[in-house]
Amino acid sequence: MRPRCARGGGGPRPAHAGGGPGAECRRLGGSAADETAAPAPRPAQGLAARAHGGGGPVAADAAPPFRAAQARGFFAPPGFVEAGVLRLPFADGGFRGYRADKVLHELADPAAAVAEARRVLASGGRIVLCGQDWDTLVLDSDRPALTRAIVHARADTIAGPRAARQYRTLLVDAGFTEVAVEVRTVVDTDGGFRPLLDGLAAAARAAGIATDAQLDAWLSEQSARAGAGRFFLAVPIFVASATKSPQ
């Protein structure tokens, strides 16, 4: 979930950050296989690109997350470089596509990352942004007011929790054209995402928005729902795409 990696090759190319292919991602250029290739193993994941000339993938990752990933046994793809999404070590116009998946919400200034993406894109290059809005986690609960407070408490710990709803504005303000946005919703009804709620409760506990007893009861309710087949969590994923028009 951090600003993580970039893939590409020699020559002008598209850039991508994150994982999880989609219809818009396939518009980056080249074959569908080029654009939807499996991302680097998490957490060495983020910005990916492919050369106009068909070069192999190149990846970039900020040093601390990448080194931590290496320590846990993750391996970077060939051509990996140490870099962050705010300052990519690539020439202007060197990519034909860029995709950022679950990256911009980790940044205090997502507009700077979008501007950097535009810099490395060639004219006519495609950009895709993908991620969730952290204020928009939908959870069925017998305690709706407490649930809202918990979700917002977790969102408040993130640098840009509402970056996903800003994708269109960010792209328009950066000068991109053909801007489109769609929403794809991840729905869990079997409790597979139940452990995610522990992190939400921990953030709420740290913020002091509820007592330990209230939070423990909230978590117990969700565990009971999962066990009884009554669990429901929906996470809308925003996917935005645009084009860098020839100047």
Side-chain angles (χ1 to χ4, degrees):
M1 308 287 277
R2 295 181 175 84
R4 288 172 183 158
C5 81
R7 294 193 305 206
R13 53 214 176 187
H16 155 84
E24 288 298 338
C25 298
R26 287 191 288 273
R27 294 189 59 194
L28 288 174
S31 69
D34 289 344
E35 307 313 333
T36 62
R42 290 181 183 270
Q45 181 183 27
L47 171 72
R50 174 166 288 274
H52 271 308
V58 171
D61 197 326
F66 173 52
R67 289 172 183 163
Q70 283 185 311
R72 293 198 298 272
F74 290 97
F75 298 96
F80 197 95
V81 297
E82 239 179 55
V85 295
L86 298 180
R87 191 173 182 180
L88 298 170
F90 306 117
D92 294 359
F95 290 85
R96 68 182 182 187
Y98 176 108
R99 183 176 117 216
D101 187 344
K102 303 180 185 69
V103 171
L104 297 193
H105 67 261
E106 293 284 0
L107 305 174
D109 185 8
V114 175
E116 180 68 350
R118 192 176 193 282
R119 180 187 70 78
V120 301
L121 276 172
S123 293
R126 296 283 296 166
I127 182 171
V128 172
L129 307 176
C130 178
Q132 69 268 38
D133 185 305
W134 282 84
D135 263 345
T136 316
L137 298 180
V138 182
L139 179 70
D140 190 16
S141 172
D142 296 335
R143 302 167 173 83
L146 178 59
T147 299
R148 283 194 299 270
I150 290 171
V151 168
H152 294 159
R154 175 66 178 93
D156 288 344
T157 68
I158 298 169
R162 290 166 291 279
R165 71 180 69 175
Q166 299 168 348
Y167 285 166
R168 185 179 187 282
T169 298
L170 288 167
L171 292 168
V172 170
D173 288 351
F176 285 95
T177 60
E178 298 182 318
V179 179
V181 182
E182 61 184 89
V183 180
R184 303 174 184 184
T185 304
V186 176
V187 176
D188 175 27
T189 58
D190 62 12
F193 285 177
R194 164 59 186 81
L196 171 72
L197 305 185
D198 293 331
L200 271 66
R205 203 181 307 271
I209 62 101
T211 67
D212 288 346
Q214 289 173 319
L215 293 170
D216 289 344
W218 183 78
L219 289 171
S220 295
E221 177 206 333
Q222 293 303 321
S223 294
R225 282 176 171 271
R230 296 175 56 247
F231 187 86
F232 183 89
L233 173 68
V235 182
I237 304 296
F238 293 76
V239 182
S241 62
T243 300
K244 179 180 177 179
S245 297
Q247 301 191 359

